[in-house]
Amino acid sequence: MTNEDYKKEIIRLKDELDVTIVAHFYQKDEVFDMADISGDSLQLAQMAMDDDNPYLIFCGVGFMGESVKILSPEKRVLMPKIACCAMARMIDGEHYDTSVAILEKSGLKKEDILPITYINSSAEVKAKVGEMGGMVCTSSNAKKIIEKGLKSGKKILFVPDKCLGQNIAIMMGLTSCVIGDGSDPKESDIICYNGFCSVHQLFDVEDIEFYRNKYPDIKIISHPECKPEVCEASDFVGSTSQIIKYIKELDPEQKVAVGTEFNLVNRLREKNTYVLSSTKPECPTMNETTLEDLYNTLKSIEDDKIMNEVQVQPEVAKWAKIALERMFEI
Ligand code: 13P
Ligand code: SF4
């Protein structure tokens, strides 16, 4: 079948089935075009929760589908590809426990630590965080959640993205460290786990200098998963939806160079838009989902042979839900 055949079939199946297709902004164009709902991680979790259809097909990475299943256990959540975000893979339950043990060894008491996990983490890690009194955040609300967390008077253990943790610390004028960097965690407000996004590591200050030299009036825009020095040298830092909104409000003649995933940057605007890197910043796991996968998933509902359904262990789901709900309360 050609892509055109898949598209026709997907449209037919969407009409016939009680299903909603959800896609993150980093999905391939042809998959993204088939979505009923698109957004950043926070918007997708919220909108999927509010959706009435019993079947939800999530085109994104594993933690996104898992979060929807945890928040709406009655829904049948299917993923055309259960592809795991490389950053989320950097921490599991054991790594999390080891990190807490390291902090305890350094003299911090467990009750003086408040864990916050970026939504880009497994259900297992979210559950550990929930059980320890902590909560989840996304790139669009991380500052707000950390601000709230600090009101407890505790140290923040931020997992898994060290860049997001460090960037928020800089924005708020706080101190931060990374576990294992040789510094004393007791001296920092935000203690970060040593995880990162390999796609957003591609952007460098040299790329910013290159574009500023070429186009002195250019605006540099980056995602908070970029390195702290890149975010500090940018004109705007925001989540994927915040980046889209910021650019939409600019004069169409305003040149921009954007430090985030290629598929999103490529469909932002027709002109005056550059990728902030000489290397194409594609997210391999987001790119795994194809039209054929989407078609096969829809067909599995029609044929009553459900495939790739997201399942979360009840005990894990219970605590992970608590951590997610604490975020929504804020
Ligand atoms: P957003 O929540 O900003 O969409 O980010 C998700 C993500 O994985 C960025 O790499
Ligand atoms: Fe994960 Fe990075 Fe891909 Fe986002 S861009 S889904 S953080 S690997």
Side-chain angles (χ1 to χ4, degrees):
M1 270 163 78
T2 65
N3 267 1
E4 280 316 304
D5 297 332
Y6 283 128
K7 275 187 201 166
K8 274 189 208 140
E9 275 297 284
I10 290 169
I11 292 165
R12 173 186 73 78
L13 288 162
K14 268 206 317 181
D15 274 355
E16 288 172 13
L17 302 168
D18 295 329
V19 62
T20 300
I21 299 177
V22 178
H24 185 264
F25 293 125
Y26 291 169
Q27 289 291 296
K28 289 177 194 292
D29 286 351
E30 62 266 31
V31 174
F32 187 80
D33 289 345
M34 294 291 117
D36 304 298
I37 295 177
S38 59
D40 69 15
S41 308
L42 181 66
Q43 293 171 328
L44 291 181
Q46 269 166 335
M47 293 191 284
M49 233 181 354
D50 296 341
D51 187 71
D52 290 332
N53 272 328
Y55 290 98
L56 206 125
I57 299 194
F58 206 116
C59 305
V61 282
F63 73 83
M64 297 179 170
E66 243 178 24
S67 298
V68 174
K69 181 71 188 171
I70 293 164
L71 289 163
S72 313
E74 72 291 351
K75 268 190 211 309
R76 301 200 69 177
V77 183
L78 279 65
M79 296 192 75
K81 272 274 158 68
I82 306 190
C84 187
C85 155
M87 182 205 286
R89 246 188 331 227
M90 287 181 182
I91 184 167
D92 59 17
E94 225 173 284
H95 295 132
Y96 178 84
D97 289 340
T98 307
S99 303
V100 175
I102 291 172
L103 299 191
E104 287 183 301
K105 222 173 160 189
S106 80
L108 281 169
K109 289 198 194 101
K110 204 169 175 181
E111 54 270 29
D112 293 332
I113 304 165
L114 183 79
I116 296 180
T117 180
Y118 189 25
I119 198 164
N120 296 36
S121 56
S122 64
E124 185 194 14
V125 169
K126 289 186 181 82
K128 294 248 172 205
V129 166
E131 228 177 324
M132 221 175 118
M135 49 204 163
V136 174
C137 76
T138 74
S139 57
S140 56
N141 63 17
K143 186 166 171 277
K144 222 178 181 177
I145 301 286
I146 290 180
E147 246 163 22
K148 173 79 181 171
L150 285 165
K151 284 196 180 131
S152 66
K154 300 182 185 190
K155 298 274 180 203
I156 303 293
L157 166 60
F158 192 82
V159 303
D161 188 9
K162 66 176 171 188
C163 293
L164 181 59
Q166 289 169 318
N167 284 323
I168 301 294
I170 293 169
M171 252 182 244
M172 294 175 68
L174 299 170
T175 52
S176 68
C177 69
V178 178
I179 296 174
D181 70 359
S183 55
D184 182 356
K186 291 197 294 306
E187 301 302 317
S188 294
D189 303 305
I190 303 176
I191 305 156
C192 306
Y193 181 80
N194 193 8
F196 55 85
C197 166
S198 44
V199 181
H200 288 86
Q201 294 302 297
L202 285 174
F203 309 109
D204 280 312
V205 173
E206 290 74 46
D207 300 316
I208 298 183
E209 283 162 2
F210 169 83
Y211 277 112
R212 291 220 196 268
N213 283 334
K214 202 164 174 197
Y215 308 113
D217 294 329
I218 197 163
K219 294 249 186 251
I220 307 292
I221 296 155
S222 56
H223 191 278
E225 288 174 13
C226 293
K227 295 173 218 167
E229 60 270 29
V230 168
C231 291
E232 278 194 286
S234 299
D235 296 292
F236 180 77
V237 179
S239 71
T240 51
S241 63
Q242 290 164 346
I243 289 175
I244 294 168
K245 181 171 181 288
Y246 177 83
I247 293 177
K248 259 193 195 149
E249 288 167 5
L250 291 175
D251 182 327
E253 292 309 311
Q254 171 66 54
K255 289 191 188 327
V256 297
V258 191
T260 196
E261 210 272 344
F262 180 80
N263 288 327
L264 186 160
V265 181
N266 191 40
R267 79 171 84 85
L268 271 171
R269 268 155 139 211
E270 281 199 352
K271 54 177 196 161
N272 293 321
T273 308
Y274 305 90
V275 176
L276 187 66
S277 168
S278 50
T279 312
K280 199 174 175 187
E282 285 179 307
C283 172
T285 40
M286 282 282 185
N287 267 294
E288 278 186 36
T289 306
T290 62
L291 273 183
E292 183 180 355
D293 298 325
L294 178 54
Y295 162 75
N296 287 336
T297 314
L298 281 159
K299 192 82 178 78
S300 81
I301 301 175
E302 185 183 47
D303 297 346
D304 205 13
K305 288 183 183 151
I306 300 290
M307 61 179 271
N308 288 359
E309 184 167 5
V310 178
Q311 306 282 6
V312 185
Q313 300 266 334
E315 187 60 13
V316 170
K318 179 183 123 189
W319 284 107
K321 189 169 190 226
I322 290 172
L324 278 159
E325 283 173 348
R326 286 189 185 125
M327 166 177 81
F328 284 114
E329 277 161 26
I330 294 167

